[in-house]
Amino acid sequence: MNDVYVVDARKSPYAKLVPIPLNRIVVNDAFWRPRLIGLVEKTLPMQYDFLEKTGRIDNFRIAAGLKSGEYTGLWFNDSDVYKWVEASSYALIHKWSDDLYKAVENVVDVISRAQERDGYLNTYIQLNKLERWANLAWSHELYCAGHLFQAAVAARRALGNETLFKVALKFADLLSTVFGFEENKLKTADGHPEVEMALVELFRESGDRKYLELARFFIDVRGRGLVTQTNKNPFIRIDSVYLVDHEPIRIMNDFAGSHAVRALYLFAGGADLYLETGDEELLNALKRLWRKMLLKMYITGGLGSRYEGEAFGEDYELPNERAYSETCAAVAGVMWAWRMFLATGDAEYMNVLETILYNAALAGISIDGTKYFYVNSLADPHAKHERRPWYECACCPPNIARLLAFMPSIAYAISKNESKIWINLFIGSIAEVNLHGNRIKIEIKTNYPWEGHVEIRVYPEKSDEFSIMIRIPSWGLGTKIRVEENVIEPKPGEYAEIRRKWSWGKAIEVKIPLKPRFIKSHHWIESNYGKVAIARGPLIYCIEQVDNKEFDVRNLAVKPDEAKLEEEYRKDMLNGIVVIKGHGYELPSDSEKLYRDFDETLEKPVKKLTFTAIPYYAWNNRGATKMLVWIKTIQ
Amino acid sequence: MNDVYVVDARKSPYAKLVPIPLNRIVVNDAFWRPRLIGLVEKTLPMQYDFLEKTGRIDNFRIAAGLKSGEYTGLWFNDSDVYKWVEASSYALIHKWSDDLYKAVENVVDVISRAQERDGYLNTYIQLNKLERWANLAWSHELYCAGHLFQAAVAARRALGNETLFKVALKFADLLSTVFGFEENKLKTADGHPEVEMALVELFRESGDRKYLELARFFIDVRGRGLVTQTNKNPFIRIDSVYLVDHEPIRIMNDFAGSHAVRALYLFAGGADLYLETGDEELLNALKRLWRKMLLKMYITGGLGSRYEGEAFGEDYELPNERAYSETCAAVAGVMWAWRMFLATGDAEYMNVLETILYNAALAGISIDGTKYFYVNSLADPHAKHERRPWYECACCPPNIARLLAFMPSIAYAISKNESKIWINLFIGSIAEVNLHGNRIKIEIKTNYPWEGHVEIRVYPEKSDEFSIMIRIPSWGLGTKIRVEENVIEPKPGEYAEIRRKWSWGKAIEVKIPLKPRFIKSHHWIESNYGKVAIARGPLIYCIEQVDNKEFDVRNLAVKPDEAKLEEEYRKDMLNGIVVIKGHGYELPSDSEKLYRDFDETLEKPVKKLTFTAIPYYAWNNRGATKMLVWIKTIQ
């Protein structure tokens, strides 16, 4: 069994940490395992059907001459096929399926036949006989190429598929003759970053340094307006901020107005570049941009608050009803955070990653793995949102699938130059870690995120001294760690280091208090003033109308000090969740009138009530229904 | 002197009211007169310079063969030239200027030479040799035509210009051979409504009924997706809701997601159609849509809350920092409200119109008449907004100019079939009213909106019995009206009818209490919960950082019951305004952290302070500065 690395930082000179192979982790808990199995049993086969039904694979068949017809769909639809190949390759590690494997092989074969002789591949451009690279601001040619490269790397690592890898190398070789700072080369990049991360991984997989150089070129050429200038469509007005082309990331101060997924893929690509080059200027810029991002992040970890341009807003600009918080942005946020963590070993990145993963990202897919949110609202006063099985612009479905498929890789890491094993996420699993030659099995037993009790057992091939690093969530005040008779109280928001000589079967017991808590936001967030949210452990909660039949959730108010939050595990509900109940009040809403003199309008609560809250990720699994995260307070 | 009517409803069979001629009103108060004079002295000459500098008039010259070159600018730039002609024609009534008049004559001449032999006129299509009507969803061909017609009607009425009128008729004649429900005609409309209102006015001016029929066609063909289907650009995804093409207005329930100016121009066109046809189904639909609009309106009267699509949001969706509230939408809102008022005589339309006019619309232009807002934010926490002298998409500057130019027409009306003179707005002026043959001068003396005292004097050519209808604003509780020794206390929000035999010089004294007041909004408006706004008379107030140097306005909080609002007329400030001062508190903002556990974060006010508020329309006249309308409350 070859090791399957997702971000293969083993040889990256500036990685502090290296993930462990995806195929050395068996997830077996009640929370994640059904989702991973569901990928293979339902999610990815259903997505394949949509790829076929919507002509996305036919576009390749037509380009390959296997079929006649015209290009159908949006101009970047190739990327959905590539993302599906990537997700399927990794998902097959968690559960084998001959059918899914054959589908991947078949799709890869069709893709490879669509490639032009010189390596070019983009069915929209090919079938419409358009000029290559003529409108890079909008054409997504390199965006699609990036997803092709990621798919090729995944299929080679997970399935041993060399066909797609050859296609990728040939295309990447072409790119390196076309783009670059050298004379006679195009000095621009794609309007949609993505190829940067992909090229670094292609370098890692192939060892060919020119791909790394090309990634560096695409990162450094950006931010000078050159990409923006390639827009040739007089009816489309694209600005450089939207394309993250307004400033090079090395000197960028803000990205309000930048398309969130574009920005986050670019920053993740920058982090990948740092891992290989040790460019401190770049890392410092990325750290600064990260701190900026935290001022634009929803409590769910959702990123990109604006519908307009699917973009980041200004600092503190976080509307709830009109939250955009695209599922793809959550995926991209995880990808960036993970790379920053590998570069620094800083717990903060993993703290934020966990928030995104359990809330903004997980809400993007229905519990049964068959429907997707593109937009992740934080309030739905009109019950207008509903997950759909597919989208015309279908970037999100295969993106959340690939995140779930490689997510177990994030849970563990090892230090590159130290004897440390890092436990980043509490996922019930058995992992086999190769710590500088010593094979160590780690077993995590937990019912997290419902319970805070985590049992970690260590089975080293040979007894040795090393550290187990355990991330204590930033909300985990009062956490206790026990190893035999030793008990420590680690600091929340950091890694607790348990260093000792470990022998076969030694156990660590972690107890993290999970009490429902009210959260308040900075009063500069316009939409949250006078409101509180409920959280428990890593999960943000929400109030859904379907659980609260006695009142309209839009009229709910609480006095936090009197709410008496209580929790209850409900095995029957939504595949098993902890619900939270509390006491509140119903505000009057007898008039539709928007504005009244203050004296007239003292909002006297009508009556007392009891409300029920469920985890945010689980909302909208019982049809369209009103929902809110932030609850009005009264005094 | 010919009478110059702006909405010439004299012969409209279903008009309850008719405006009085624009050239029979002399505005002479301190608030409005400088703005009208400024149009001629500064605003319109400066706009002319921009029309020249940006190639907008050259596009016509090139199409006319007077100059060589290519089309420059956005594809609907012709409309800016037309709107400028319309605004200038009406503005010259308030103050004559040979230079401005000559500029209009010159521009009209150039426009007329650019027209093709068969009547077609659109320089973007002509110069780029594009197929006519091929992409009506996006091409704005009929939108530009509509502005041409309105300009032609204005230039004929105000300046006696027949040249542009002939151009308009010739083009409209062409349109009536191209569009219609008859066989062999195109069954679609323009993606941007506007031509509907214009065609009705062209019918009024020419008497040719086919223009009215064409207006009816464009209104009735809309809402079936036919317009949307004409989009041919694969890179532009337009939906029918955005184009207000999702439902015919007769059965339309909602327009969340519809481009605000498109929707409002369409509805205004519908109201014009009703005035001529008496179609009750249409009027009832418009009344229903009006009520819907009130659930989507800012406290300033601002319309269209969404940046995305410059569109109306859902009911109660009214963000402040990201308010769009386009200046053009305020203009369109006034146009629609005015027509609904003429159709019904219902005070509500005029109440809302006054709010829009004094706040959302007036904020669109700087006090000195030289700079414009496109977007009218209700909060600017980062001081990022600033009026500009021009825009690439320059729809707003000439639009606010034409509103100001014809605004005096709105102030008065007469009943079509009754002896009633309506005073709709309190504008210091002398008007000459022809009430069914009796020439009556009305003089209004007032320092409104700063003072609530209004003196109305009536000078009938012959003494007669008729009514003076005086609109009492909805906030005007405690208003008193005195005629000689008779005093009445009229009901706010309605017209008070003063019927008697009027003789030369008889006076009416109206006293409207103008006290600063706090306003609260419905708790379903996400952004305003726990906040209050300040108003005085028709004016909404705001807090600008420049007046409040001791604290950051983002940290301001008030206890309304203890705020002790005080007013002061400041002759020196912003051309003379009433400022409001009050007591408040400064909230802490020591951390940038967005989310904290509730217990940690009780917001204890740091210290007491005094704040200063100015009228919202007057903000941003002293450079970019932080601003807010809605103030946080604490208890």
Side-chain angles (χ1 to χ4, degrees):
Chain A
M1 178 165 78
N2 287 326
D3 286 346
V4 178
Y5 284 88
V6 176
V7 175
D8 188 359
R10 280 175 296 174
K11 294 186 189 164
S12 305
Y14 298 91
K16 278 229 173 82
L17 309 177
V18 178
I20 71 169
L22 184 59
N23 58 341
R24 304 286 177 187
I25 309 162
V26 178
V27 173
N28 55 22
D29 69 6
F31 192 84
W32 289 107
R33 181 159 183 78
R35 289 179 161 82
L36 301 183
I37 301 306
L39 282 177
V40 176
E41 292 183 347
K42 279 181 292 188
T43 306
L44 291 164
M46 283 180 68
Q47 291 189 2
Y48 176 77
D49 289 345
F50 278 106
L51 293 174
E52 282 288 13
K53 269 195 287 193
T54 59
R56 281 165 163 87
I57 301 174
D58 276 345
N59 286 333
F60 287 96
R61 291 196 183 99
I62 298 166
L66 301 169
K67 195 167 175 166
S68 64
E70 289 180 359
Y71 186 90
T72 54
L74 296 171
W75 61 100
F76 46 79
N77 274 1
D78 286 3
S79 62
D80 302 326
V81 179
Y82 299 141
K83 273 194 277 190
W84 175 85
V85 170
E86 182 185 354
S88 298
S89 300
Y90 291 136
L92 284 164
I93 289 172
H94 306 302
K95 181 183 164 75
W96 187 256
S97 153
D98 283 339
D99 287 347
L100 183 60
Y101 175 73
K102 279 181 202 150
V104 172
E105 289 279 296
N106 173 37
V107 168
V108 163
D109 178 64
V110 171
I111 293 170
S112 70
R113 288 167 191 267
Q115 185 169 38
E116 297 201 1
R117 281 204 181 169
D118 67 351
Y120 186 83
L121 181 49
N122 182 293
T123 70
Y124 180 79
I125 299 287
Q126 291 168 254
L127 296 182
N128 289 300
K129 300 190 169 53
L130 300 174
E131 189 188 345
R132 297 175 184 177
W133 329 121
N135 182 10
L136 271 173
W138 209 231
S139 71
H140 290 62
E141 282 163 276
L142 298 173
Y143 168 84
C144 290
H147 280 301
L148 166 64
F149 302 164
Q150 288 180 326
V153 167
R156 184 173 196 245
R157 289 176 182 165
L159 307 175
N161 186 302
E162 295 291 341
T163 308
L164 202 61
F165 191 59
K166 279 183 200 148
V167 171
L169 294 180
K170 197 168 176 188
F171 196 4
D173 289 346
L174 175 68
L175 295 186
S176 69
T177 68
V178 173
F179 295 92
F181 284 120
E182 299 86 352
E183 229 180 316
N184 299 326
K185 288 188 177 180
L186 288 178
K187 278 151 212 65
T188 185
D190 193 282
H192 200 315
E194 151 63 32
V195 78
E196 299 78 5
M197 257 190 292
L199 283 165
V200 176
E201 206 70 81
L202 205 61
F203 154 66
R204 290 178 186 140
E205 189 66 13
S206 68
D208 190 336
R209 206 159 178 91
K210 73 169 177 286
Y211 305 136
L212 181 65
E213 292 308 320
L214 192 57
R216 190 207 305 262
F217 164 76
F218 284 131
I219 286 169
D220 283 346
V221 80
R222 201 174 200 91
R224 304 152 189 252
L226 296 169
V227 186
T228 316
Q229 286 166 24
T230 67
N231 175 39
K232 298 289 193 307
N233 191 323
F235 292 105
I236 296 178
R237 300 163 69 201
I238 312 176
D239 70 22
S240 60
V241 176
Y242 170 80
L243 295 181
V244 211
D245 187 35
H246 57 300
E247 283 174 332
I249 58 179
R250 289 164 195 277
I251 60 162
M252 191 181 292
N253 287 309
D254 197 4
F255 42 87
S258 292
H259 182 264
V261 179
R262 281 173 169 80
L264 293 164
Y265 278 175
L266 178 66
F267 302 158
D272 263 330
L273 185 62
Y274 168 80
L275 289 171
E276 305 306 325
T277 63
D279 181 336
E280 286 293 328
E281 184 193 52
L282 184 61
L283 183 66
N284 288 333
L286 292 169
K287 286 179 177 174
R288 196 178 63 238
L289 294 167
W290 174 271
R291 288 192 299 274
K292 199 70 178 161
M293 183 191 81
L294 296 183
L295 299 180
K296 303 171 192 287
M297 191 174 76
Y298 284 100
I299 191 172
T300 56
L303 296 165
S305 63
R306 286 187 189 167
Y307 270 72
E308 190 210 12
E310 311 187 311
F312 279 106
E314 298 288 345
D315 302 349
Y316 305 94
E317 180 192 324
L318 295 160
N320 296 313
E321 295 173 14
R322 289 289 285 178
Y324 201 73
S325 185
E326 186 183 333
T327 298
C328 281
V331 173
V334 166
M335 293 173 86
W336 185 28
W338 190 18
R339 285 158 177 79
M340 293 300 281
F341 173 72
L342 297 176
T344 63
D346 188 338
E348 176 183 288
Y349 299 108
M350 204 45 78
N351 291 335
V352 172
L353 190 155
E354 185 181 51
T355 298
I356 302 174
L357 179 66
Y358 278 91
N359 300 284
L362 206 51
I365 185 166
S366 63
I367 290 175
D368 66 4
T370 64
K371 289 182 186 169
Y372 313 91
F373 272 138
Y374 191 117
V375 165
N376 290 278
S377 188
L378 270 81
D380 187 2
H382 309 286
K384 288 218 168 175
H385 291 265
E386 206 163 0
R387 288 188 193 81
R388 297 187 211 158
W390 195 247
Y391 287 84
E392 185 197 6
C393 173
C395 49
C396 296
N399 221 359
I400 185 71
R402 69 176 180 150
L403 172 64
L404 289 175
F406 69 62
M407 182 277 304
S409 282
I410 304 171
Y412 298 87
I414 60 166
S415 290
K416 197 119 173 295
N417 303 311
E418 295 176 295
S419 296
K420 292 182 181 176
I421 299 171
W422 299 65
I423 295 173
N424 306 317
L425 301 171
F426 300 118
I427 294 179
S429 57
I430 299 172
E432 198 184 294
V433 176
N434 184 340
L435 187 68
H436 313 306
N438 192 5
R439 290 204 166 273
I440 302 158
K441 272 214 162 73
I442 310 269
E443 182 174 17
I444 297 182
K445 284 189 184 170
T446 184
N447 197 23
Y448 194 85
W450 310 124
E451 295 170 23
H453 183 241
V454 182
E455 189 187 300
I456 302 167
R457 280 185 188 273
V458 182
Y459 302 93
E461 209 170 49
K462 44 181 191 280
S463 295
D464 199 3
E465 183 179 318
F466 54 86
S467 297
I468 302 286
M469 309 292 290
I470 303 168
R471 188 179 59 87
I472 311 305
S474 43
W475 43 263
L477 198 71
T479 295
K480 290 194 171 66
I481 300 180
R482 194 169 65 81
V483 187
E484 291 172 343
E485 65 288 355
N486 303 315
V487 176
I488 60 163
E489 291 201 25
K491 202 171 158 198
E494 299 185 359
Y495 278 82
E497 178 168 2
I498 315 292
R499 188 162 192 94
R500 54 177 296 158
K501 189 166 179 190
W502 296 94
S503 55
W504 186 262
K506 190 72 74 184
I508 306 171
E509 200 179 20
V510 185
K511 283 194 172 170
I512 315 171
L514 291 188
K515 255 186 25 186
R517 59 195 195 275
F518 280 116
I519 295 178
K520 202 166 176 182
S521 73
H522 197 294
H523 61 79
W524 287 357
I525 301 181
E526 167 175 287
S527 305
N528 297 349
Y529 185 67
K531 298 172 195 166
V532 289
I534 298 172
R536 180 179 179 276
L539 300 177
I540 304 303
Y541 274 65
C542 71
I543 319 281
E544 248 196 334
Q545 189 67 64
V546 64
D547 298 312
N548 296 281
K549 301 227 166 78
E550 306 301 315
F551 62 95
D552 185 325
V553 297
R554 293 175 296 181
N555 299 331
L556 174 64
V558 294
K559 300 184 184 183
D561 296 338
E562 302 173 14
K564 298 192 179 76
L565 298 182
E566 287 178 10
E567 55 187 65
E568 184 192 351
Y569 182 72
R570 291 279 300 275
K571 198 181 162 185
D572 56 311
M573 255 179 90
L574 298 162
N575 277 17
I577 56 166
V578 168
V579 302
I580 296 175
K581 287 176 187 289
H583 296 282
Y585 296 85
E586 186 175 358
L587 296 176
S589 65
D590 45 342
S591 159
E592 287 196 317
K593 205 175 161 190
L594 260 59
Y595 309 107
R596 305 194 208 185
D597 279 3
F598 180 71
D599 298 340
E600 300 172 33
T601 57
L602 289 170
E603 272 144 7
K604 298 281 181 210
V606 181
K607 60 172 193 195
K608 293 195 175 189
L609 53 79
T610 305
F611 67 83
T612 299
I614 63 162
Y616 171 74
Y617 80 75
W619 89 281
N620 209 284
N621 276 281
R622 292 165 295 176
T625 172
K626 294 177 206 163
M627 182 277 290
L628 54 86
V629 169
W630 290 95
I631 309 166
K632 286 170 264 213
T633 62
I634 50 175
Q635 280 163 322
Chain B
M1 177 162 84
N2 287 325
D3 287 345
V4 178
Y5 284 89
V6 177
V7 174
D8 188 359
R10 280 176 295 173
K11 295 186 189 162
S12 306
Y14 298 91
K16 278 229 172 81
L17 308 178
V18 178
I20 71 169
L22 183 59
N23 57 340
R24 303 288 177 186
I25 308 162
V26 177
V27 174
N28 55 21
D29 68 5
F31 191 84
W32 288 108
R33 180 158 183 78
R35 290 180 161 82
L36 300 183
I37 301 305
L39 282 177
V40 176
E41 293 184 345
K42 281 180 291 187
T43 305
L44 292 164
M46 283 180 68
Q47 290 189 3
Y48 176 76
D49 289 344
F50 278 106
L51 293 175
E52 283 288 14
K53 269 196 285 194
T54 58
R56 279 164 165 87
I57 300 173
D58 276 345
N59 286 334
F60 287 96
R61 292 197 182 97
I62 299 166
L66 300 169
K67 193 166 177 168
S68 64
E70 289 181 1
Y71 185 90
T72 54
L74 296 173
W75 60 100
F76 46 80
N77 274 2
D78 287 2
S79 61
D80 301 327
V81 179
Y82 299 140
K83 273 193 279 190
W84 175 85
V85 170
E86 181 185 354
S88 298
S89 300
Y90 292 135
L92 283 163
I93 289 174
H94 307 303
K95 180 184 166 72
W96 187 257
S97 154
D98 283 339
D99 287 347
L100 184 58
Y101 175 73
K102 279 180 203 152
V104 171
E105 289 280 296
N106 174 37
V107 168
V108 163
D109 178 64
V110 171
I111 294 170
S112 70
R113 289 167 191 268
Q115 185 170 39
E116 297 202 1
R117 284 205 178 167
D118 67 350
Y120 186 83
L121 181 48
N122 183 292
T123 70
Y124 180 79
I125 298 286
Q126 290 168 254
L127 296 182
N128 289 300
K129 299 191 170 53
L130 300 174
E131 189 188 344
R132 297 175 185 178
W133 330 121
N135 182 10
L136 272 173
W138 209 230
S139 71
H140 289 60
E141 283 162 277
L142 298 173
Y143 167 84
C144 290
H147 280 302
L148 166 64
F149 302 163
Q150 289 180 327
V153 166
R156 184 174 196 245
R157 289 177 182 164
L159 307 176
N161 185 302
E162 295 292 342
T163 308
L164 202 60
F165 192 59
K166 279 182 200 149
V167 171
L169 294 180
K170 197 168 176 188
F171 196 5
D173 288 346
L174 176 67
L175 296 186
S176 69
T177 68
V178 173
F179 295 93
F181 283 121
E182 299 87 350
E183 229 179 317
N184 300 326
K185 288 190 177 179
L186 287 178
K187 279 152 211 67
T188 185
D190 193 282
H192 200 314
E194 151 63 32
V195 77
E196 299 78 4
M197 259 189 292
L199 283 166
V200 175
E201 207 71 79
L202 204 60
F203 154 68
R204 290 180 185 137
E205 189 65 12
S206 68
D208 190 337
R209 204 160 181 90
K210 72 169 177 286
Y211 306 135
L212 181 64
E213 291 308 319
L214 193 55
R216 189 209 302 263
F217 163 76
F218 284 131
I219 287 168
D220 283 345
V221 78
R222 202 174 200 90
R224 303 153 190 252
L226 296 169
V227 186
T228 317
Q229 286 166 24
T230 67
N231 174 41
K232 298 290 193 309
N233 191 323
F235 291 104
I236 298 178
R237 299 162 72 201
I238 312 176
D239 71 21
S240 60
V241 177
Y242 170 80
L243 295 180
V244 211
D245 187 35
H246 57 301
E247 282 174 334
I249 58 178
R250 288 163 195 278
I251 60 163
M252 192 182 290
N253 288 307
D254 198 4
F255 42 89
S258 292
H259 182 264
V261 180
R262 281 173 169 80
L264 293 165
Y265 278 176
L266 179 66
F267 301 158
D272 263 330
L273 185 62
Y274 168 80
L275 289 171
E276 304 305 326
T277 63
D279 181 337
E280 286 292 329
E281 184 192 52
L282 184 60
L283 184 65
N284 287 332
L286 292 169
K287 287 179 175 174
R288 197 177 63 237
L289 293 167
W290 174 271
R291 287 192 298 275
K292 198 70 178 165
M293 184 192 80
L294 295 182
L295 300 180
K296 303 171 193 288
M297 192 173 77
Y298 284 100
I299 191 172
T300 58
L303 297 165
S305 62
R306 286 187 188 167
Y307 270 72
E308 190 211 12
E310 311 186 309
F312 279 107
E314 298 288 345
D315 303 348
Y316 305 93
E317 181 192 324
L318 295 160
N320 296 313
E321 295 173 15
R322 288 289 285 175
Y324 201 73
S325 184
E326 187 183 333
T327 299
C328 282
V331 173
V334 167
M335 293 174 86
W336 184 27
W338 190 17
R339 285 158 177 77
M340 294 300 281
F341 174 71
L342 297 176
T344 63
D346 189 338
E348 176 181 290
Y349 299 109
M350 204 47 77
N351 290 336
V352 172
L353 189 156
E354 185 182 49
T355 298
I356 301 174
L357 179 65
Y358 279 91
N359 300 285
L362 206 51
I365 184 165
S366 62
I367 289 175
D368 67 3
T370 64
K371 289 182 186 169
Y372 313 91
F373 271 138
Y374 191 117
V375 165
N376 290 279
S377 189
L378 270 81
D380 187 3
H382 309 287
K384 289 219 169 176
H385 291 264
E386 205 162 1
R387 288 188 193 81
R388 297 187 211 158
W390 195 247
Y391 287 85
E392 185 197 6
C393 173
C395 48
C396 297
N399 220 358
I400 186 71
R402 68 175 180 150
L403 172 65
L404 288 175
F406 69 63
M407 183 278 304
S409 281
I410 302 171
Y412 298 86
I414 59 165
S415 288
K416 196 118 174 296
N417 303 312
E418 294 177 293
S419 296
K420 293 182 180 175
I421 299 171
W422 300 63
I423 294 173
N424 306 317
L425 301 172
F426 300 118
I427 294 180
S429 57
I430 299 172
E432 196 184 296
V433 176
N434 183 339
L435 188 66
H436 313 306
N438 193 4
R439 289 203 166 273
I440 302 157
K441 273 212 163 71
I442 310 267
E443 182 173 17
I444 297 182
K445 284 188 184 170
T446 183
N447 198 22
Y448 193 86
W450 310 124
E451 294 171 24
H453 183 241
V454 182
E455 189 188 300
I456 302 168
R457 279 186 189 273
V458 182
Y459 302 92
E461 208 172 49
K462 45 182 194 281
S463 294
D464 199 4
E465 182 177 321
F466 54 86
S467 299
I468 302 285
M469 309 292 290
I470 303 168
R471 189 180 57 88
I472 311 305
S474 43
W475 42 264
L477 199 69
T479 294
K480 290 197 172 62
I481 299 181
R482 193 170 64 81
V483 187
E484 291 173 344
E485 66 288 352
N486 302 316
V487 176
I488 61 164
E489 293 201 25
K491 203 174 158 196
E494 298 185 358
Y495 278 81
E497 178 169 1
I498 315 292
R499 189 164 191 91
R500 54 177 295 157
K501 190 167 178 188
W502 297 94
S503 54
W504 187 262
K506 193 70 79 184
I508 307 171
E509 200 180 20
V510 185
K511 283 194 172 169
I512 315 171
L514 291 187
K515 257 187 21 184
R517 59 195 196 276
F518 281 116
I519 295 177
K520 202 166 176 183
S521 74
H522 197 295
H523 61 78
W524 287 357
I525 300 181
E526 169 175 286
S527 305
N528 297 350
Y529 185 68
K531 298 173 194 165
V532 289
I534 298 172
R536 181 179 177 276
L539 299 177
I540 304 304
Y541 274 66
C542 71
I543 318 283
E544 247 195 332
Q545 188 67 65
V546 66
D547 297 312
N548 296 281
K549 301 225 165 77
E550 305 301 315
F551 60 95
D552 185 325
V553 297
R554 293 175 297 182
N555 298 332
L556 174 63
V558 294
K559 299 183 184 182
D561 295 338
E562 301 173 15
K564 296 194 180 73
L565 298 183
E566 286 178 12
E567 55 187 64
E568 184 191 352
Y569 183 72
R570 291 280 299 277
K571 199 181 161 184
D572 56 310
M573 255 179 93
L574 298 161
N575 278 16
I577 56 166
V578 169
V579 301
I580 296 174
K581 287 177 186 286
H583 297 282
Y585 296 85
E586 185 175 359
L587 295 176
S589 65
D590 46 342
S591 159
E592 288 196 313
K593 207 175 158 190
L594 260 59
Y595 309 107
R596 305 194 207 183
D597 280 3
F598 180 72
D599 297 340
E600 300 172 33
T601 58
L602 288 170
E603 273 144 8
K604 297 282 181 211
V606 179
K607 61 172 190 193
K608 293 195 175 191
L609 53 81
T610 305
F611 66 84
T612 299
I614 63 162
Y616 171 75
Y617 79 77
W619 89 281
N620 209 282
N621 275 282
R622 293 166 292 176
T625 173
K626 294 176 205 164
M627 182 277 291
L628 54 86
V629 169
W630 290 95
I631 308 165
K632 286 169 265 212
T633 62
I634 49 175
Q635 277 162 322

